[in-house]
Short mmCIF file of all heavy atoms in Angstrom, two decimals:
data_model
loop_
_atom_site.label_atom_id
_atom_site.label_comp_id
_atom_site.label_asym_id
_atom_site.label_seq_id
_atom_site.Cartn_x
_atom_site.Cartn_y
_atom_site.Cartn_z
N ILE A 1 123.05 -42.35 65.53
CA ILE A 1 123.05 -43.52 64.64
C ILE A 1 123.74 -43.12 63.32
O ILE A 1 123.58 -42.02 62.84
CB ILE A 1 121.62 -44.04 64.39
CG1 ILE A 1 121.64 -45.35 63.62
CG2 ILE A 1 120.75 -43.01 63.70
CD1 ILE A 1 120.30 -46.06 63.54
N SER A 2 124.52 -44.04 62.76
CA SER A 2 125.20 -43.81 61.49
C SER A 2 125.36 -45.13 60.76
O SER A 2 125.18 -46.19 61.35
CB SER A 2 126.56 -43.12 61.73
OG SER A 2 127.43 -43.94 62.46
N ARG A 3 125.71 -45.06 59.51
CA ARG A 3 125.96 -46.28 58.77
C ARG A 3 127.07 -46.07 57.73
O ARG A 3 127.29 -44.98 57.25
CB ARG A 3 124.65 -46.75 58.06
CG ARG A 3 124.16 -45.86 56.94
CD ARG A 3 122.76 -46.29 56.45
NE ARG A 3 122.76 -47.63 55.88
CZ ARG A 3 121.68 -48.34 55.69
NH1 ARG A 3 120.51 -47.90 56.07
NH2 ARG A 3 121.80 -49.57 55.13
N ASP A 4 127.73 -47.17 57.42
CA ASP A 4 128.79 -47.19 56.41
C ASP A 4 128.38 -48.32 55.46
O ASP A 4 128.66 -49.50 55.71
CB ASP A 4 130.15 -47.42 57.01
CG ASP A 4 131.27 -47.32 56.02
OD1 ASP A 4 131.01 -47.43 54.80
OD2 ASP A 4 132.42 -47.09 56.41
N ASN A 5 127.75 -47.99 54.35
CA ASN A 5 127.27 -49.00 53.40
C ASN A 5 128.40 -49.78 52.72
O ASN A 5 128.23 -50.93 52.35
CB ASN A 5 126.37 -48.35 52.35
CG ASN A 5 125.04 -47.95 52.90
OD1 ASN A 5 124.66 -48.34 53.97
ND2 ASN A 5 124.32 -47.09 52.18
N ALA A 6 129.57 -49.15 52.58
CA ALA A 6 130.72 -49.84 52.01
C ALA A 6 131.19 -50.95 52.89
O ALA A 6 131.76 -51.93 52.43
CB ALA A 6 131.83 -48.85 51.78
N LYS A 7 130.98 -50.83 54.21
CA LYS A 7 131.33 -51.86 55.19
C LYS A 7 130.18 -52.72 55.66
O LYS A 7 130.34 -53.57 56.53
CB LYS A 7 132.02 -51.23 56.42
CG LYS A 7 133.36 -50.51 56.06
CD LYS A 7 133.99 -49.92 57.32
CE LYS A 7 135.30 -49.25 56.99
NZ LYS A 7 135.91 -48.63 58.19
N ASN A 8 128.98 -52.45 55.13
CA ASN A 8 127.77 -53.17 55.54
C ASN A 8 127.55 -53.11 57.04
O ASN A 8 127.26 -54.13 57.67
CB ASN A 8 127.80 -54.60 55.04
CG ASN A 8 127.64 -54.74 53.54
OD1 ASN A 8 127.36 -53.77 52.85
ND2 ASN A 8 127.77 -55.97 53.05
N THR A 9 127.73 -51.95 57.62
CA THR A 9 127.71 -51.82 59.08
C THR A 9 126.92 -50.58 59.49
O THR A 9 127.03 -49.50 58.86
CB THR A 9 129.10 -51.74 59.66
OG1 THR A 9 129.85 -52.89 59.28
CG2 THR A 9 129.07 -51.64 61.20
N VAL A 10 126.12 -50.70 60.55
CA VAL A 10 125.41 -49.56 61.17
C VAL A 10 125.96 -49.45 62.61
O VAL A 10 126.28 -50.44 63.24
CB VAL A 10 123.89 -49.77 61.13
CG1 VAL A 10 123.45 -50.99 61.93
CG2 VAL A 10 123.20 -48.52 61.63
N TYR A 11 126.01 -48.22 63.10
CA TYR A 11 126.60 -47.92 64.40
C TYR A 11 125.61 -47.19 65.27
O TYR A 11 124.71 -46.48 64.80
CB TYR A 11 127.86 -47.06 64.28
CG TYR A 11 128.89 -47.66 63.37
CD1 TYR A 11 128.97 -47.26 62.03
CD2 TYR A 11 129.81 -48.60 63.84
CE1 TYR A 11 129.93 -47.77 61.18
CE2 TYR A 11 130.78 -49.13 62.99
CZ TYR A 11 130.84 -48.71 61.65
OH TYR A 11 131.80 -49.21 60.85
N LEU A 12 125.77 -47.32 66.59
CA LEU A 12 125.06 -46.51 67.54
C LEU A 12 126.08 -45.96 68.53
O LEU A 12 126.60 -46.73 69.39
CB LEU A 12 123.94 -47.30 68.27
CG LEU A 12 123.10 -46.48 69.22
CD1 LEU A 12 122.24 -45.49 68.43
CD2 LEU A 12 122.21 -47.39 70.08
N GLN A 13 126.37 -44.68 68.45
CA GLN A 13 127.27 -44.03 69.38
C GLN A 13 126.44 -43.52 70.56
O GLN A 13 125.54 -42.73 70.38
CB GLN A 13 128.02 -42.84 68.69
CG GLN A 13 128.92 -42.08 69.65
CD GLN A 13 130.09 -42.92 70.11
OE1 GLN A 13 130.76 -43.55 69.34
NE2 GLN A 13 130.36 -42.86 71.44
N MET A 14 126.77 -43.94 71.76
CA MET A 14 126.02 -43.62 72.95
C MET A 14 126.90 -42.83 73.89
O MET A 14 127.95 -43.30 74.35
CB MET A 14 125.54 -44.90 73.67
CG MET A 14 124.68 -45.80 72.77
SD MET A 14 124.07 -47.24 73.62
CE MET A 14 125.58 -48.10 73.99
N ASN A 15 126.50 -41.58 74.16
CA ASN A 15 127.22 -40.69 75.06
C ASN A 15 126.37 -40.33 76.25
O ASN A 15 125.15 -40.50 76.25
CB ASN A 15 127.64 -39.43 74.34
CG ASN A 15 128.57 -39.63 73.17
OD1 ASN A 15 129.38 -40.55 73.19
ND2 ASN A 15 128.47 -38.81 72.12
N SER A 16 127.01 -39.84 77.32
CA SER A 16 126.32 -39.45 78.54
C SER A 16 125.36 -40.51 79.02
O SER A 16 124.19 -40.25 79.31
CB SER A 16 125.56 -38.11 78.30
OG SER A 16 126.44 -37.09 77.89
N LEU A 17 125.86 -41.74 79.12
CA LEU A 17 125.03 -42.88 79.44
C LEU A 17 124.48 -42.78 80.88
O LEU A 17 125.16 -42.30 81.78
CB LEU A 17 125.79 -44.17 79.28
CG LEU A 17 125.94 -44.60 77.80
CD1 LEU A 17 127.02 -45.66 77.65
CD2 LEU A 17 124.63 -45.17 77.30
N LYS A 18 123.27 -43.27 81.04
CA LYS A 18 122.56 -43.27 82.30
C LYS A 18 122.21 -44.72 82.69
O LYS A 18 122.10 -45.58 81.81
CB LYS A 18 121.27 -42.47 82.21
CG LYS A 18 121.43 -41.04 81.70
CD LYS A 18 120.09 -40.37 81.48
CE LYS A 18 120.25 -38.99 80.98
NZ LYS A 18 118.91 -38.34 80.74
N PRO A 19 122.06 -44.98 84.02
CA PRO A 19 121.66 -46.35 84.39
C PRO A 19 120.41 -46.84 83.71
O PRO A 19 120.29 -48.03 83.43
CB PRO A 19 121.47 -46.21 85.92
CG PRO A 19 122.37 -45.11 86.31
CD PRO A 19 122.32 -44.12 85.17
N GLU A 20 119.47 -45.98 83.40
CA GLU A 20 118.25 -46.36 82.75
C GLU A 20 118.45 -46.75 81.27
O GLU A 20 117.53 -47.24 80.62
CB GLU A 20 117.16 -45.26 82.83
CG GLU A 20 117.63 -43.89 82.41
CD GLU A 20 118.03 -43.01 83.58
OE1 GLU A 20 118.73 -43.51 84.49
OE2 GLU A 20 117.65 -41.83 83.60
N ASP A 21 119.64 -46.56 80.74
CA ASP A 21 119.99 -47.05 79.39
C ASP A 21 120.35 -48.51 79.40
O ASP A 21 120.53 -49.12 78.33
CB ASP A 21 121.13 -46.24 78.81
CG ASP A 21 120.78 -44.79 78.56
OD1 ASP A 21 119.69 -44.51 78.08
OD2 ASP A 21 121.65 -43.92 78.85
N THR A 22 120.48 -49.10 80.56
CA THR A 22 120.82 -50.54 80.68
C THR A 22 119.74 -51.39 79.98
O THR A 22 118.59 -51.30 80.31
CB THR A 22 120.97 -50.96 82.14
OG1 THR A 22 122.07 -50.27 82.74
CG2 THR A 22 121.19 -52.45 82.24
N ALA A 23 120.15 -52.20 79.03
CA ALA A 23 119.22 -53.02 78.27
C ALA A 23 120.01 -53.91 77.30
O ALA A 23 121.19 -53.73 77.11
CB ALA A 23 118.24 -52.15 77.48
N VAL A 24 119.29 -54.86 76.67
CA VAL A 24 119.81 -55.54 75.52
C VAL A 24 119.45 -54.73 74.30
O VAL A 24 118.27 -54.35 74.11
CB VAL A 24 119.23 -56.95 75.39
CG1 VAL A 24 119.73 -57.64 74.13
CG2 VAL A 24 119.60 -57.80 76.62
N TYR A 25 120.44 -54.40 73.46
CA TYR A 25 120.23 -53.58 72.30
C TYR A 25 120.24 -54.44 71.06
O TYR A 25 121.10 -55.30 70.84
CB TYR A 25 121.32 -52.52 72.19
CG TYR A 25 121.15 -51.39 73.14
CD1 TYR A 25 121.34 -51.54 74.53
CD2 TYR A 25 120.75 -50.11 72.71
CE1 TYR A 25 121.13 -50.50 75.40
CE2 TYR A 25 120.52 -49.06 73.57
CZ TYR A 25 120.72 -49.27 74.92
OH TYR A 25 120.52 -48.21 75.81
N TYR A 26 119.25 -54.22 70.20
CA TYR A 26 119.04 -54.97 68.95
C TYR A 26 119.10 -54.07 67.77
O TYR A 26 118.54 -52.98 67.77
CB TYR A 26 117.68 -55.66 68.97
CG TYR A 26 117.46 -56.66 70.08
CD1 TYR A 26 116.91 -56.24 71.28
CD2 TYR A 26 117.74 -58.01 69.89
CE1 TYR A 26 116.68 -57.15 72.33
CE2 TYR A 26 117.49 -58.91 70.92
CZ TYR A 26 116.97 -58.50 72.14
OH TYR A 26 116.74 -59.38 73.15
N CYS A 27 119.75 -54.51 66.70
CA CYS A 27 119.62 -53.79 65.42
C CYS A 27 118.65 -54.55 64.52
O CYS A 27 118.42 -55.74 64.71
CB CYS A 27 120.99 -53.62 64.73
SG CYS A 27 121.76 -55.11 64.10
N ALA A 28 118.06 -53.82 63.58
CA ALA A 28 117.06 -54.40 62.71
C ALA A 28 117.06 -53.72 61.35
O ALA A 28 117.52 -52.56 61.23
CB ALA A 28 115.67 -54.28 63.37
N ALA A 29 116.54 -54.38 60.37
CA ALA A 29 116.49 -53.90 58.98
C ALA A 29 115.07 -53.87 58.47
O ALA A 29 114.28 -54.78 58.73
CB ALA A 29 117.35 -54.73 58.07
N THR A 30 114.72 -52.81 57.71
CA THR A 30 113.37 -52.64 57.21
C THR A 30 113.41 -52.14 55.75
O THR A 30 114.29 -51.34 55.41
CB THR A 30 112.55 -51.64 58.07
OG1 THR A 30 111.30 -51.40 57.46
CG2 THR A 30 113.30 -50.30 58.20
N PRO A 31 112.44 -52.58 54.92
CA PRO A 31 112.33 -51.99 53.59
C PRO A 31 111.70 -50.62 53.54
O PRO A 31 111.69 -49.97 52.49
CB PRO A 31 111.48 -53.03 52.83
CG PRO A 31 110.60 -53.62 53.91
CD PRO A 31 111.48 -53.66 55.12
N GLN A 32 111.13 -50.17 54.67
CA GLN A 32 110.57 -48.84 54.76
C GLN A 32 111.63 -47.76 54.64
O GLN A 32 112.78 -47.99 55.01
CB GLN A 32 109.79 -48.67 56.05
CG GLN A 32 108.62 -49.65 56.23
CD GLN A 32 107.50 -49.38 55.23
OE1 GLN A 32 107.20 -48.22 54.97
NE2 GLN A 32 106.91 -50.44 54.71
N PRO A 33 111.27 -46.57 54.16
CA PRO A 33 112.26 -45.48 54.09
C PRO A 33 112.85 -45.14 55.46
O PRO A 33 114.04 -44.82 55.59
CB PRO A 33 111.46 -44.32 53.53
CG PRO A 33 110.33 -44.96 52.77
CD PRO A 33 109.98 -46.17 53.59
N LEU A 34 112.02 -45.14 56.50
CA LEU A 34 112.42 -44.86 57.88
C LEU A 34 111.27 -45.35 58.74
O LEU A 34 110.11 -45.10 58.44
CB LEU A 34 112.63 -43.33 58.08
CG LEU A 34 113.45 -42.88 59.26
CD1 LEU A 34 114.88 -43.34 59.12
CD2 LEU A 34 113.40 -41.37 59.39
N ALA A 35 111.58 -46.08 59.79
CA ALA A 35 110.54 -46.75 60.58
C ALA A 35 110.86 -46.71 62.05
O ALA A 35 112.00 -46.76 62.46
CB ALA A 35 110.33 -48.16 60.12
N THR A 36 109.82 -46.61 62.90
CA THR A 36 109.97 -46.63 64.35
C THR A 36 109.23 -47.76 65.03
O THR A 36 109.40 -47.96 66.24
CB THR A 36 109.44 -45.30 64.93
OG1 THR A 36 108.08 -45.16 64.69
CG2 THR A 36 110.21 -44.12 64.33
#
């Protein structure tokens, strides 16, 4: 995961993908410092 605040964009680079990675992927924003 990475972000470019100048472009207001967050990225998810996915390598070595597996069939079990199949899903709908959502991004989200939180006021917490870091959240799971």
Side-chain angles (χ1 to χ4, degrees):
I1 187 171
S2 62
R3 67 189 297 163
D4 186 340
N5 288 345
K7 297 181 178 179
N8 288 355
T9 302
V10 63
Y11 306 95
L12 185 68
Q13 178 66 47
M14 304 182 294
N15 298 327
S16 301
L17 283 163
K18 306 173 181 179
E20 51 262 44
D21 294 319
T22 296
V24 176
Y25 284 71
Y26 300 88
C27 69
T30 175
Q32 299 292 321
L34 199 66
T36 63

